[in-house]
Amino acid sequence: MSTTRKDKLVAAAQQDLNKRTKQEWIEGAAILKHERFEVAGALFNCKVDELLSQQDVQSRLDAYLRPAVQKEETLNVDSEG
């Protein structure tokens, strides 16, 4: 096995070690400096056995806690109609 292939396998294995399940992230919410209910809300649509990295969870938390504000389109209505 070449060194680069071996390094890639080691890196992939290390990355998998940093991933956790939905329940593990909820229980470890303090690591993310958030409340358990916030993490649970951010991960509500994830499968129970899906492995998530900290970066995945953090991006979901950001989207959950700070949703994009959408402006409503306003129509100019002539009052003299």
Side-chain angles (χ1 to χ4, degrees):
M1 190 178 326
S2 69
T3 305
T4 56
R5 184 169 180 225
K6 185 177 181 181
D7 291 340
K8 288 179 183 177
L9 289 173
V10 169
Q14 184 65 28
Q15 189 176 19
D16 284 345
L17 289 175
N18 293 332
K19 292 185 176 184
R20 299 176 184 182
T21 63
K22 177 180 178 177
Q23 188 62 36
E24 290 171 334
W25 281 117
I26 293 170
E27 291 173 1
I31 295 169
L32 302 167
K33 297 181 177 139
H34 286 281
E35 298 292 331
R36 291 172 64 157
F37 71 90
E38 293 173 327
V39 176
L43 302 179
F44 77 97
N45 62 348
C46 296
K47 294 180 181 176
V48 175
D49 57 348
E50 183 179 355
L51 293 176
L52 302 160
S53 69
Q54 184 171 353
Q55 184 178 3
D56 293 337
V57 175
Q58 192 62 52
S59 66
R60 289 175 184 266
L61 270 167
D62 290 341
Y64 178 72
L65 296 173
R66 296 174 202 84
V69 178
Q70 295 180 351
K71 289 185 177 179
E72 291 185 26
E73 290 186 27
T74 58
L75 300 175
N76 291 330
V77 179
D78 217 12
S79 60
E80 295 180 20

